[in-house]
């Protein structure tokens, strides 16, 4: 066995034990076994209460809306940006575009509050230019029901991430296929969908899974920029966990496990679809 692999085994065992212990404890509490507050009967009651709760169903729909919107827009705009970077060989431009990747989401959220809030920099600039009569006329994009500010934070972080990741793949593509297709009279659109897209399909699917799961389960950005009437699933679980009534904690654990299950299902469906599409088929 490779010596480097042997050295990794203790790390994997330690982290695996911690993760499995936490998962086992979470499942245990979500099933109603929580002796600390006198709950000793295992049942699916908490899952039933969570899934049948209209507020949870609304939170689930809102979380899916934010995650799908931010993910698809990030993939589309990030891919376009990657093609732009492929043509523009400017190292400084590459560094500037890569900068948002290193910033924490909470910092970007605070920046967005200062930029596009109704009392932020842009609204004050519009007021000084006379485009609006008062700062309250500036469109509400922070703490709004549509989650515009939340989506903008995710786009600011994720578009460069998609661009840098796909750029590395595009630079390694066998461009001979593209030249052959062009010589045979294929249009640019046909070349993209028939040649380039199948080659980067696995990367895009992987990015979709990563971005969807992260945005779906994100807590800090919706907490800072979200509307109290439209909570995400993560915020709903947090509220259940932090209530003074400890009997709501099993529901919080159940909600977190439901959230994890949804991410696993979405990932599995994405992988299945990827195998069906041309880029995932094995050619003999």
């Amino acid at each position: 066995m490779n010596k480097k692999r042997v050295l990794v085994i203790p790390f994997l065992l330690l982290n695996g034990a911690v993760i499995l212990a936490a998962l086992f404890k979470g499942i245990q509490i979500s099933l109603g076994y929580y002796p600390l507050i006198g709950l000793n009967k295992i049942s699916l009651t908490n899952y039933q209460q969570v899934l049948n709760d209209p507020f949870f169903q609304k939170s689930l729909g809102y979380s899916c809306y934010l995650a799908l919107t931010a993910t698809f827009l990030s993939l589309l705009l990030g891919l376009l940006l990657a093609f732009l970077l492929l043509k523009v060989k400017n190292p400084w431009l590459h560094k500037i575009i890569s900068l948002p990747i290193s910033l924490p989401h909470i910092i970007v959220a605070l920046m967005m509050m200062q930029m596009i809030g109704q009392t932020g920099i842009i609204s004050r600039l519009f007021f000084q230019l006379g485009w609006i009569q008062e700062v309250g006329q500036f469109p509400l994009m922070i703490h709004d029901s549509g989650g515009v500010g939340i989506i903008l934070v995710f786009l600011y972080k994720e578009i460069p991430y998609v661009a840098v990741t796909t750029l590395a793949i595009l630079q390694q593509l066998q461009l001979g296929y593209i030249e052959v297709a062009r010589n045979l009279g294929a249009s640019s659109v046909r070349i993209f969908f028939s040649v380039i897209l199948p080659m980067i399909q696995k990367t895009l699917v992987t990015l979709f899974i990563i971005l969807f799961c992260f945005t779906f389960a994100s807590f800090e950005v919706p907490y800072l920029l979200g509307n109290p009437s439209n909570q995400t699933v993560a915020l709903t679980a947090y509220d259940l966990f932090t209530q003074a009534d400890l009997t709501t904690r099993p529901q919080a654990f159940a909600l977190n496990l439901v959230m994890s299950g949804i991410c696993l299902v979405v990932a599995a469906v994405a992988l299945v679809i990827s195998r069906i599409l041309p880029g995932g088929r094995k050619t003999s």
Side-chain angles (χ1 to χ4, degrees):
M1 184 181 292
N2 193 319
K3 185 177 180 179
K4 292 182 178 180
R5 294 183 179 180
V6 174
L7 295 175
V8 172
I9 290 177
F11 172 80
L12 294 177
L13 290 176
L14 178 61
N15 284 272
V18 172
I19 292 173
L20 289 175
L23 180 61
F24 175 78
K25 188 68 175 180
I27 294 174
Q28 185 183 58
I29 296 176
S30 70
L31 290 174
Y33 185 78
Y34 198 18
L36 181 65
I37 58 174
L39 299 177
N40 299 301
K41 185 179 179 181
I42 294 178
S43 69
L44 296 174
T45 304
N46 294 313
Y47 288 94
Q48 293 173 350
Q49 291 178 347
V50 165
L51 294 174
N52 293 327
D53 185 4
F55 190 77
F56 162 73
Q57 295 171 1
K58 181 181 178 182
S59 298
L60 176 61
Y62 186 62
S63 296
C64 289
Y65 152 72
L66 292 176
L68 291 173
T69 303
T71 300
F72 280 118
L73 287 177
S74 296
L75 289 175
L76 177 61
L77 299 176
L79 188 57
L80 292 174
L81 183 58
F83 280 108
L84 176 63
L85 294 175
L86 190 63
K87 293 184 178 181
V88 180
K89 307 294 184 179
N90 189 329
W92 284 105
L93 179 61
H94 289 219
K95 291 179 181 179
I96 292 173
I97 290 176
S98 303
L99 180 62
I101 300 176
S102 61
L103 296 176
H105 279 79
I106 190 169
I107 299 298
V108 178
L110 294 174
M111 288 170 49
M112 203 63 68
M113 290 178 66
Q114 296 298 321
M115 289 295 297
I116 63 172
Q118 285 194 314
T119 58
I121 296 174
I122 296 179
S123 68
R124 293 177 186 177
L125 178 61
F126 281 14
F127 175 76
Q128 294 296 330
L129 293 173
W131 294 352
I132 56 176
Q133 301 302 317
E134 56 183 16
V135 292
Q137 293 178 343
F138 189 77
L140 182 64
M141 290 187 284
I142 301 295
H143 306 305
D144 61 311
S145 58
V148 175
I150 299 172
I151 294 173
L152 288 176
V153 170
F154 289 141
L155 293 180
Y156 180 81
K157 283 282 297 178
E158 294 168 2
I159 289 175
Y161 175 68
V162 173
V164 171
T165 304
T166 53
L167 178 63
I169 304 301
L170 291 173
Q171 290 173 336
Q172 299 174 8
L173 289 181
Q174 299 180 14
L175 300 179
Y177 292 112
I178 299 175
E179 293 300 326
V180 170
R182 186 176 287 113
N183 292 335
L184 292 174
S187 63
S188 299
V189 176
R190 183 67 181 273
I191 291 174
F192 174 77
F193 285 101
S194 300
V195 180
I196 299 177
L197 188 58
M199 291 182 178
I200 62 175
Q201 176 185 302
K202 292 183 179 179
T203 301
L204 291 178
V205 170
T206 302
L207 288 171
F208 171 83
I209 293 172
I210 294 172
L211 297 182
F212 176 87
C213 293
F214 181 85
T215 53
F216 180 77
S218 176
F219 170 78
E220 68 274 23
V221 178
Y223 182 77
L224 290 173
L225 306 182
N227 188 313
S229 62
N230 279 347
Q231 284 193 350
T232 61
V233 178
L235 287 176
T236 303
Y238 174 78
D239 287 343
L240 289 172
F241 187 82
T242 55
Q243 286 185 17
D245 185 5
L246 295 181
T247 58
T248 62
R249 286 198 175 182
Q251 295 179 25
F253 279 92
L255 189 53
N256 276 302
L257 288 169
V258 168
M259 187 164 50
S260 300
I262 291 172
C263 290
L264 289 175
V265 170
V266 170
V269 171
L271 291 174
V272 170
I273 294 175
S274 176
R275 291 181 65 88
I276 295 174
L277 294 175
R281 297 173 188 169
K282 294 183 179 179
T283 57
S284 56

